[in-house]
Amino acid sequence: MNETLLVIDGFNLLSRCYFATSYGRDEAALTRNSKGQFTNALRVTIQKMHALIHQYEPSHIFVAWDVKREDTKRKDTYALYKQTRAELPEPLIQQYETLKQFFDTVGIYQMSLSSYEADDLIGALASKWSKEKQSPGYIYSNDRDLLQLLDQHISQIIAKKQVGDLVYGFKHFQEEYNIHPRQWVDVKALLGDKSDNIPGVPGVGEKAALPLIQQYGSIHEIYAQIEQLDPAFNRYKKKLAEGKELGMLSRELAEIIIDIQEISMLSWEELTFMYDYERWNKEIQSLELNIRIRS
């Protein structure tokens, strides 16, 4: 039997559906059902899940959810991690709880795990799948941090405006960046990440970060050879030296953790997916979403 894994970055999907359907509207204008539950994001999210399942026909599905940022290893490592992010709106939180119940009812495996972010759960599972199954695996997320997980079996589905979903794989990454996906974390270590409040190396921007990693392979090798740095990077030598501590910290924050015991102990049977259309439609009807799933 052909096996395919579909991994969903839960909050990435739900949040995009929420903000797309709530833009320019206050909370009072958002759609609710007769029970008072917000449904604007639920409807679109479930439709998208159906579309992904229909297109990729996964034998296994896994939805990864973030824990509160205060509960993560990275927050312990760097107190300012993700500090610039706003709190989630209450209607989104409520729909997250409803969606989790929906997934449980229709038999979609999902997980959140204290100390780990969704990226880590995704990374650990993708690595496990690639090693054990060596079959196609797809990560649905617009988070470019996940590019470091790409390999011969794992691809990322990235939503693009107007053109739809792009399946971005190992070869695409190598052609675009001329490095291995595992080296993406070293590029991120130099650049930092404003959305996650990862500092990077001050003064080293996009023009230098990728070429440095293309030439030296990793941030560790850059610092090992900094006294003999290529003259083409002379203008960055002082900035690199002064920003070494931040660069190393940023690499630690940007690297996805793939060694997670709870993931390694998962059996693939737990993630097996069988589409029960009757059950989906029953739950959709109970939420009053005004859609119907068809095979």
Side-chain angles (χ1 to χ4, degrees), residues 21-181:
T21 55
S22 64
Y23 182 77
R25 305 167 70 187
D26 59 29
E27 185 176 309
L30 300 180
T31 55
R32 301 190 195 212
N33 60 22
S34 62
K35 304 170 190 173
Q37 296 170 302
F38 290 100
T39 59
N40 60 301
L42 283 175
R43 183 176 187 273
V44 184
T45 301
I46 291 171
Q47 285 179 309
K48 185 61 184 180
M49 281 293 296
H50 168 68
L52 289 168
I53 293 167
H54 183 73
Q55 181 171 356
Y56 296 98
E57 299 182 333
S59 56
H60 300 75
I61 298 181
F62 179 90
V63 178
W65 296 106
D66 283 310
V67 295
K68 292 180 180 179
R69 67 193 69 153
E70 293 79 14
D71 298 334
T72 65
K73 290 177 181 288
R74 292 175 182 84
K75 190 70 172 177
D76 291 339
T77 301
Y78 183 54
L80 300 179
Y81 180 67
K82 290 191 175 180
Q83 190 153 315
T84 54
R85 292 198 180 185
E87 294 299 316
L88 297 176
E90 183 57 36
L92 174 55
I93 295 173
Q94 185 187 109
Q95 289 177 88
Y96 156 66
E97 296 293 346
T98 308
L99 185 62
K100 283 203 304 177
Q101 292 174 9
F102 177 86
F103 284 160
D104 276 342
T105 303
V106 300
I108 290 179
Y109 191 95
Q110 53 192 330
M111 177 186 280
S112 61
L113 189 61
S114 181
S115 298
Y116 297 101
E117 297 178 54
D119 287 7
D120 300 317
L121 302 182
I122 291 168
L125 190 78
S127 177
K128 175 182 170 74
W129 178 268
S130 190
K131 290 174 184 175
E132 295 180 9
K133 293 291 188 177
Q134 299 180 11
S135 296
Y138 299 95
I139 300 169
Y140 185 82
S141 177
N142 274 31
D143 185 351
R144 295 182 68 81
D145 294 344
L146 297 168
L147 294 177
Q148 62 188 277
L149 303 175
L150 302 181
D151 64 22
Q152 299 290 354
H153 306 291
I154 303 298
S155 301
Q156 185 169 345
I157 306 169
I158 302 171
K160 294 282 187 181
K161 290 181 179 178
Q162 287 144 2
V163 298
D165 291 346
L166 169 68
V167 178
Y168 191 85
F170 181 79
K171 289 183 179 179
H172 298 108
F173 182 91
Q174 287 195 311
E175 289 171 1
E176 182 171 358
Y177 295 106
N178 195 29
I179 58 174
H180 192 282

Side-chain angles (χ1 to χ4, degrees), residues 213-261:
I213 299 305
Q214 287 171 335
Q215 184 160 338
Y216 291 97
S218 71
I219 190 171
H220 294 95
E221 277 302 309
I222 291 170
Y223 284 112
Q225 302 182 50
I226 195 163
E227 294 306 322
Q228 297 82 37
L229 209 62
D230 189 317
F233 301 111
N234 275 347
R235 61 178 293 195
Y236 299 103
K237 192 171 181 179
K238 183 179 179 182
K239 294 170 183 176
L240 284 164
E242 291 175 346
K244 181 177 180 180
E245 187 176 341
L246 285 176
M248 293 302 185
L249 169 66
S250 297
R251 193 191 188 288
E252 183 179 355
L253 295 172
E255 185 173 28
I256 291 173
I257 301 166
I258 62 170
D259 184 12
I260 300 175
Q261 183 179 7

